[in-house]
Amino acid sequence: MNLRRLGGWALIVGAIVTTVGYSAANLLAPGSGEDVFRYHLWPLFYEIALVGDVITALGLPVILAFAGRAPKLHIVGYAGIFAALVMLNVGEGTTEAFVKPYLVTHGGLPTEEPIGFAVFEGIALLALVVGSICLGIAILRARTLPWWIGVAVIVSCVVGALGLPGAWFLLPDSIFFAALFAIGTFAVRERTQRTSATIEQAVASPAR
């Protein structure tokens, strides 16, 4: 199995595991606000999501294999999404999974977040916006992947900016990871198709 196909499988598995973890944590936790952090399975579900995030980050470089005619945009898109994935999903996700549940049962969450944390989050969100838009445009320009994948990446960013209420706030992440799942599928399938074509050609060729 070459690195391209391995990266594709990482995106597929990572997208599924991450989506399942976040969905389970946010849809099954009773109550709202601080109450969700009291849910006894919250750390478990978030830990599942964190594992998926790490797997996704490992497979993310496969995006560059589809750079085609837009290599610079692909690099910027990859860098922005990778930074956001590590800073927001893994970094802040660790706080959501373990720190906040602890604080809730030991005096409650602070009314204001530290200034440094707000700056950290702002940089990560900027990287996500720039990365998503650049990657979406890059996919549309390169034409090495279906156009709807590029549109989905951009739409996930736009929908996320709307601040959807309730469980709908999961929609942007679901669209985003669905796009990554699709990229992984094409990375794996292209290799499989190429191998099948080689085998068919070898069988069809007369022995010499």
Side-chain angles (χ1 to χ4, degrees):
M1 182 180 293
N2 64 4
L3 291 178
R4 179 167 177 166
R5 192 176 184 188
L6 187 62
W9 277 115
L11 284 186
I12 292 172
V13 174
I16 294 174
V17 174
T18 302
T19 302
V20 169
Y22 285 136
S23 298
N26 290 280
L27 295 179
L28 298 180
S32 59
E34 291 189 5
D35 291 337
V36 299
F37 300 114
R38 302 180 188 277
Y39 182 42
H40 68 286
L41 291 179
W42 177 272
L44 173 62
F45 290 145
Y46 242 84
E47 190 171 353
I48 292 173
L50 288 172
V51 171
D53 287 324
V54 173
I55 296 174
T56 301
L58 292 175
L60 205 59
V62 80
I63 290 175
L64 301 177
F66 298 96
R69 297 182 298 177
K72 293 182 179 179
L73 278 175
H74 267 82
I75 292 174
V76 175
Y78 161 74
I81 289 176
F82 181 83
L85 190 64
V86 172
M87 296 173 72
L88 285 177
N89 290 41
V90 178
E92 187 178 352
T94 303
T95 302
E96 295 282 330
F98 307 111
V99 178
K100 288 187 177 181
Y102 175 83
L103 292 176
V104 165
T105 57
H106 292 76
L109 297 178
T111 55
E112 295 183 3
E113 293 181 344
I115 296 178
F117 186 80
V119 173
F120 175 86
E121 189 177 46
I123 295 174
L125 289 173
L126 178 61
L128 177 61
V129 172
V130 174
S132 297
I133 293 176
C134 286
L135 180 61
I137 296 174
I139 292 174
L140 293 175
R141 289 189 59 185
R143 298 182 181 180
T144 53
L145 288 168
W147 62 269
W148 53 266
I149 296 180
V151 173
V153 173
I154 297 175
V155 168
S156 69
C157 181
V158 175
V159 174
L162 298 177
L164 299 178
W168 286 103
F169 83 94
L170 291 170
L171 182 60
D173 282 349
S174 298
I175 296 175
F176 177 76
F177 281 103
L180 294 184
F181 176 90
I183 294 174
T185 301
F186 277 93
V188 172
R189 190 173 69 178
E190 183 173 332
R191 174 64 181 173
T192 303
Q193 289 176 340
R194 188 180 303 173
T195 302
S196 299
T198 302
I199 295 174
E200 291 175 1
Q201 184 177 1
V203 173
S205 299
R208 294 184 180 179

